[in-house]
Amino acid sequence: MEKKCKLTISILASNRKDTIPKCLESIKPLLEKVDSELIVTDTGCDEDLLKVIGRYTDKIVRFQWCNDFAAARNVGLNMAHGQWFMYIDDDEWFEDVSEIITFFNSEDEKEYDSANYIVRNYYSKEGTEYGEWVAGRIFRIFNNTKFVGKIHEYVPFNPYKMKHLSSYVHHYGYVYETDEQRLAHSERNITLLEKEIEDNPTDARNYAHIYQEYRECKNPEMMLKYAEMAIENADLSVAQNRISIGSTYVAILWALIRMKKYEEAVNRGEKILKNEAISNLTRMTICIYLVEASMQLEEYEKCIEYAREYTIIYKFFMRNKEQYYRQMGPMLNDVLTNRMLFGALLAGIEAAIEIDSYEDICYFLKNYDWTKGWDSNKLECLKKYVDMSFRCGEQKDTVYIYGMLFSDVQCSKVVLNRMQELKDIDGDGYAKICDIIAKIAGQPGYKSLVQIINMCKSGKIEMLSSVYKNAYLDDEKIMLVCDEFYEIAMNYGI
């Protein structure tokens, strides 16, 4: 009889030759530094790949695929000799497993019965945008431990004390070469989920997963159909169902908005927000959809209200990531991203411009890191802010915001170019903005920038060169911004 070990690591291998080697190599430090074993369940690997896997383990078991992920996972679980079980997919690989190693080699491990790690799902091959999903894929093995669910399989257990780990895996499995591949993947999942819902109509978890597939297929009508079924059938006396019902509320709004039923979306969304039992993450996600629907209805005050609430909850979760991870679920896993934040803030700014609310514009501008990325939406947003500044002059936070914008080279260039475009149209407005910029001189390195602006304003071109030479401080960022000021000043001949 084989002796027990601390940890069993299990992988389902399906002939993914481009990712399995990275997956195996990423867990190698775990196998070397933790008392552990690796079991690979082979669902269709060729001989060459099996040889690669064999360099990491001799525990390879063949499984005839039967469209049942739980059955496949249970093969590895039933063979496990570990006190703990951890699984990872063959198209994922860890960035770093040091924290997991520390956990299993410390006394800390004795205090928990489960742990999770983060799955970083990328939206493009470049890997610049991603959403994070907390995967409860590490757990202590008990006599009755087993996987259930033909798809999106999981191990049902009571809410044991769970260790939240910051270790994460890279996952590009949702980046497809063609739309046909994406649709084929979703259609396969939908077939399995429909069978699960037919067999277990009161389980809200299956409904939550089918919403995501219909979102991929861009089929709001079917998403709404299943959401209404979940509202009618889900057994909310079960704790897991009460968690999953938040996905249903979000699915309803997503579907109504895609069907262009904006008024109904706002009415139902506002009714949901009155439900005190919903999680902060559900509330946050509802708010982002209400921002979109309100904007479509030109209800700008509501748009601003919900954009502000989204922003407040966003900042809370950024300070309390563990709370965010605890509340995650299908349809709720991509709302804490830079992309979503910018969408909410941009909508808030546009709505504030429509009702001429300078205070709200400043609020949304202050809550975004303008140095992150660049696109045409940001360009237009900054131009609109400069336009309003010309009209309003100095208001609360104006100096702060211009200081923030001028700390970034690209933002500085956009703002200065727009100032020059408006100079002949509104000379008084131009003078107001120059005075505002002069007040940011108290920030490090801006003395030279202010001098350049003032010389541009007064037309003292002959003095620019000497000021420019003195502007080379020991801060490289300030040097670059000075370059932009000088270049623009000379190009416009001011």
Side-chain angles (χ1 to χ4, degrees), residues 355-371:
I355 63 174
D356 219 24
S357 175
Y358 194 83
E359 179 184 350
D360 286 313
I361 291 175
C362 290
Y363 173 83
F364 293 120
L365 279 169
K366 286 195 302 181
N367 279 285
Y368 187 71
D369 183 355
W370 291 91
T371 65

Side-chain angles (χ1 to χ4, degrees), residues 196-292:
E196 288 287 283
I197 290 171
E198 181 182 342
D199 293 343
N200 303 286
T202 62
D203 187 347
R205 190 176 183 277
N206 292 320
Y207 294 101
H209 284 295
I210 207 169
Y211 306 147
Q212 293 197 137
E213 303 303 338
Y214 280 121
R215 180 169 62 177
E216 282 294 311
C217 295
K218 297 179 173 61
N219 190 336
E221 290 80 10
M222 288 302 294
M223 183 189 287
L224 187 60
K225 171 188 171 182
Y226 276 100
E228 301 291 11
M229 286 172 60
I231 293 291
E232 182 178 349
N233 298 325
D235 181 2
L236 297 185
S237 67
V238 178
Q240 182 60 50
N241 285 345
R242 291 197 297 274
I243 295 172
S244 296
I245 204 69
S247 301
T248 296
Y249 295 145
V250 171
I252 290 170
L253 260 67
W254 187 93
L256 290 172
I257 289 171
R258 295 304 170 269
M259 295 163 71
K260 299 185 177 181
K261 296 183 177 182
Y262 303 118
E263 189 170 349
E264 184 178 352
V266 170
N267 290 338
R268 293 192 72 165
E270 290 179 336
K271 184 177 179 181
I272 292 167
L273 289 183
K274 293 177 182 177
N275 180 354
E276 295 180 358
I278 64 173
S279 69
N280 279 332
L281 185 54
T282 299
R283 176 174 292 277
M284 178 186 185
T285 312
I286 294 293
C287 283
I288 197 67
Y289 288 127
L290 286 175
V291 167
E292 182 178 353

Side-chain angles (χ1 to χ4, degrees), residues 80-95:
H81 293 89
Q83 300 169 31
W84 286 77
F85 190 87
M86 182 183 95
Y87 64 101
I88 177 175
D89 287 338
D90 63 349
D91 60 348
E92 301 168 346
W93 60 95
F94 280 101
E95 174 68 20

Side-chain angles (χ1 to χ4, degrees), residues 6 30 86 99 101 117 136 146 209 216 292 357 371 411 414 416 444-445 475 480 482:
K6 176 68 69 69
L30 268 170
M86 182 183 95
E99 188 180 11
I101 293 170
Y117 61 80
K146 71 173 184 176
H209 284 295
E216 282 294 311
E292 182 178 353
S357 175
T371 65
C411 290
V414 171
L416 288 169
D475 186 329
L480 291 171
C482 285

Side-chain angles (χ1 to χ4, degrees), residues 370-410:
W370 291 91
T371 65
K372 288 185 177 179
W374 199 256
D375 59 27
S376 58
N377 287 329
K378 291 185 183 180
L379 177 67
E380 291 305 312
C381 183
L382 289 185
K383 285 182 177 179
K384 288 176 180 178
Y385 177 66
V386 175
D387 292 355
M388 182 165 270
S389 298
F390 265 60
R391 296 199 308 273
C392 300
E394 184 176 345
Q395 303 285 324
K396 181 183 177 182
D397 295 325
T398 309
V399 174
Y400 171 83
I401 290 172
Y402 270 94
M404 177 181 71
L405 296 176
F406 280 127
S407 67
D408 178 72
V409 173
Q410 187 67 39

